Amino acid sequence: MIESRWVSWEELLPFKEQLIDMELELMIRYHYPDKLIPRSYPEQRVNNLESYLKNGSTFLWVSTEGGKLLGYYWAYISSFIDKKRWNLRSIMFLDEAKGRGLGTLAVKEGLKMAKLLECDEAATEYVPWNKTMETVMMKSGYKVTRIEVVKEL
């Protein structure tokens, strides 16, 4: 049976190694396929998550089944000009979990939390070839506002 919920650092600990592996896969598959990313990079980011979760500025929603992490939604709050902004930092689900509506559910739960915390807006980024993410974001009411371009030197 699939369980989905917001978690504390302590509740995340049994899934920490799986989260690191999924973060690495996310970085390689969707963000930096042309770079060699050592596992230590997402490992450090996940280790930093402890203090962020404990100070209440960051939120992690997970879907699990039988002790296995199926996916996660990682968000944080920031100030953006004169707005309190909910930032979807990353969302990732295992291939075996896709097609079950978990990504859409995660985004819906994230937006509920953002409203509960009185955020003024929600924002995220995704790569243009991730059509699944584009579909989920557009169906959830997000609008494209800018495009990042990068040139290697």
Side-chain angles (χ1 to χ4, degrees):
M1 180 174 154
I2 297 175
E3 291 184 46
S4 299
R5 65 202 179 281
W6 295 102
V7 294
S8 66
W9 176 255
E10 290 75 21
E11 293 168 312
L12 170 65
L13 284 176
F15 308 103
K16 181 180 171 190
E17 294 303 315
Q18 292 172 62
L19 178 61
I20 293 166
D21 291 339
M22 290 176 78
E23 273 285 292
L24 180 58
E25 181 180 345
L26 175 89
M27 290 173 184
I28 292 169
R29 185 188 293 190
Y30 295 114
H31 295 285
Y32 309 107
D34 57 332
K35 300 196 183 312
L36 293 173
I37 302 170
R39 189 172 189 278
S40 60
Y41 184 70
E43 182 175 30
Q44 183 58 49
R45 294 177 145 233
V46 169
N47 286 333
N48 291 340
L49 181 58
E50 178 178 10
S51 63
Y52 300 144
L53 285 171
K54 287 182 176 181
N55 77 20
S57 65
T58 299
F59 304 84
L60 189 71
W61 185 91
V62 300
S63 286
T64 61
E65 185 174 45
K68 183 175 187 177
L69 180 65
L70 297 177
Y72 64 93
Y73 174 107
W74 179 340
Y76 63 93
I77 294 175
S78 68
S79 295
F80 181 73
I81 306 173
D82 61 345
K83 305 283 186 188
K84 183 176 181 182
R85 180 177 270 189
W86 177 263
N87 300 277
L88 169 52
R89 181 203 170 272
S90 57
I91 182 170
M92 179 70 175
F93 287 86
L94 297 175
D95 287 340
E96 67 193 64
K98 292 182 179 172
R100 295 171 152 184
L102 295 172
T104 299
L105 178 61
V107 170
K108 185 183 286 187
E109 290 300 315
L111 293 173
K112 270 198 231 177
M113 180 63 82
K115 287 178 184 176
L116 182 69
L117 297 169
E118 300 179 342
C119 292
D120 300 302
E121 61 186 13
T124 192
E125 300 172 359
Y126 59 88
V127 293
W129 63 84
N130 189 344
K131 297 302 180 188
T132 301
M133 186 66 170
E134 178 181 27
T135 299
V136 169
M137 292 292 102
M138 295 306 111
K139 283 184 176 180
S140 299
Y142 283 79
K143 295 178 184 153
V144 175
T145 60
R146 62 181 183 216
I147 298 172
E148 176 185 57
V149 294
V150 176
K151 176 173 178 40
E152 285 201 32
L153 302 175

